Amino acid sequence: MRKIITMLLTILPMLAYAQQSETIQLNEGWQFSQMNSDQWYDADVPGSVQRDLVRHGVLPDPFYGTNEEQLQWVEDVNWDFKKTFNVSAAQLQHDEALLQFEGLDTHAEVFLNGSRILRTQNMFIGYEVRVKELLIEGENNLYIRFHSPIEAMMPARNSFGYDYPAVNDHREEKLSIYSRKAPYHFGWDWGIRIVQMGIWKPVSLLLYNDARIEDYYVKQQLVTEEKAEIEHQLTIHALTKGDATLSYGYALNGKVLKSEQKEMYLAAGVNNLSFPATITDPQRWMPVNWGEQHLYDFFVTVTRGDHLIAEKHLRTGLRTVRLVQEPDEHGRSFYFEVNGIPLFAKGANYIPGEIFTTQQDEAYYENIFDQITDANMNFVRVWGGGIYENEEFYRQADERGILIWQDFIFACAPYPSDDLFLTNVREEAIYNIKRLRNHPSLAFWCGNNEIDEALTYWGWDKQYPKEVMQAWQEGYDKTFRQLLPLLVEEHDGTRSYIHGSPYDANWGNTEKFASSDVHDWGLWYGHLPFEAMAERLPRFASEFGFQSFPEMKTIRSFAPEEQWALESEVMQVHQKATTGNSLIKKYMEMYFPEPKSFEDFVYMGLVMQGNGMEESVEAMRRGRPYCMGALYWQINDDWPVVSWSSIDYYGNWKAQHYRMRNVLAPLALGVDEKEGMLHYYTLSDYLSDRNDLTLTVQVIDFTKGIQKEFREKVSATANASTIVKSYKLSDLLNEDEKAHTMLHAFLTDSNGEVISRKEHFFYWPNRLKLPLTTIESSVEYADGEYRVTLFSEKLAKDLFLEIPVQGARFSDNFINLLPGQQRTIVIRSPQLKAADRTAVTVKHMRETY
Ligand code: NHV
């Protein structure tokens, strides 16, 4: 960024910052204590009281055993933070001083040198306070009291007389909905409860002269291949009135393409400026697999005479994204169009990946986006029970071509809608719309998660009086149908908005599936089999999912061996969904033989989740253009727990994540077995046809190997799902062979390179005759990398390699090792050392029952 500005400066007349503006970081040297206690501890900022108390050993590791309970008292107590900092006489010479708190969690009173300068009640807003008159030369004192959210909100509850139906809030008194604070801190059906307090984003002191550019928005009015019409929107805060020169322009790949100047008059106070610009032949930002993610650097500077007084830079991509909801022959469409082209949204729902939110550092974001990209996703939903994510999240998405569905942070419960509450929400919405609107990855805004669905379908009308229900309904309309869309229009003005997700449908009432996005919990909560998902495709699946236990390596991290049982005390603390275990068991009885042990149960559950979810996702992808999105619930965990995630807390891929990588590949092979036929599909996201492909289908007996092989030249139609070849099942095998035969199909290009594979079984394992077999394996050990070579004479289904290193990455896992086949799997982790010869263990389905 500096580079761009410097570059710009070289082409402007000689300028200098007469008195440089200066930012003093105030994140170091904080201390905190329980209110009225003399015991002060060092605080990490950004951080939280609970995170620091764990760090200091005052609280135990919350993830281990049943320790969660031992952290709970902290939420009932007030906590004080203090810090001193020095300001020099020269620094005091600046015209203005702003204390900047990017995020305080949540109910805070801030004091500076004896004056109360700020009261906050919203963790999602960054606050700035003018403190020029309060600063003194030498040592300054900052003091913050964080009020217990419980204490702060209890009176609201007491005066209401009811508890809200906020079932994911794991305390008897439901207070989460009163506080503009991350809902998931209060617990969830996959979430530990740690209701944190603290300084969760950076603090700084900005000293400046003359003027400041508070905000800069490059609003994209129209973007085509030929031109981009944009509007520069600037908010400049000037301390003194007078003439000034505005320079603005843009660069691409470090090359300044345009730089212009404008004379203007700045009034003292806030100046809102806006002026149009046209960029011809723009290099457009494309989603992953559609082209490059071109990012332009836009810059503005304000000068007076030969003094540079303010500057701002932002990076954005030029593109259009539109949610298309139009009547059609089925009902109403629900799909995203990017740069005018319909896009099938492939991806997942994302929750904050750390209960200690502030542990989400840059490495965290890079890592989670590696997993997103590696699984071939192009869309991620930031779900409304978490947080508006940090800048780095959206920056990663911009660079990788991942589109973001952004919920406003409301989920699964009614919320108050009184004037004070809505004033707070208004400020939060404006702040976050402005903060995020320059990101090309941000595709659209959604009012909340499931509140509309809940008001209609979750039976609250039987628990609450009519007047209460009516007030909640009116409050819903006020917040999500009136206030938020107005603010999106006013402060964004380019993106679509829906009042909530699902938009209209409910999974128990399929008649609206043809005209809405759907959270299809028919699978799981509705006890429907995986196969049923193909028969009830929605226009867009914004949630659907299936639970599994994390692998044993992760269970071992929190449970001693004597607790390895489904209903043990420790395992129950780590299973937050009330019907979770019984549903896993029920489905397992539908599909699998009885596992021999707890460890086999865990393994089998992972396989069930992976294979079942692959089936559902593939059906959705085959179902385009009717169905245009598959965002499964959920990609990640915020602590080690049983959940619907496809990656566990320690970064271990569950079977599902490998299956997603296959089924979401930009060009994947799909198969649909239907009425005695077998239809092979190409599922393509590419924007051009592929005509150089060969489809090979092998009929493989579990013991005897390949029985038949078919080969066809096929084409993959661009951006479509197409049947490329159909077989009569009876031409491939007899009915009684189905229990010991599978199909192995693969697509190759003209060089014989395999592009996609599809393995098809006719039954789930309880109806398969899987052979007993011995796996021969050998390992080549190197630092950082083990190569495991595997061979089996007979089929080894869903073969799972395990290594006791958290987060180790496997080139593949849960594989079907075909009869007579040799496969090499590479395991990578910086913790792997050649000399250690860490044990790699192997398990496959037939061994587990
Ligand atoms: O339960 C899993 C996930 C939740 O973690 C998350 O809130 O938005 N889930 C399930 C549902 N929605 C979501 C569906 N909700 C219901 C199911 C059954 C009855 C009522 C509601 C996510």
Side-chain angles (χ1 to χ4, degrees), residues 188-190 383 412 449-450 458 507 521 525 543 633 644:
W188 212 263
D189 61 0
W190 37 258
W383 163 80
C412 298
N449 178 71
E450 292 180 3
W458 290 6
W507 59 264
W521 289 97
Y525 287 106
E543 278 188 18
W633 184 266
W644 298 262

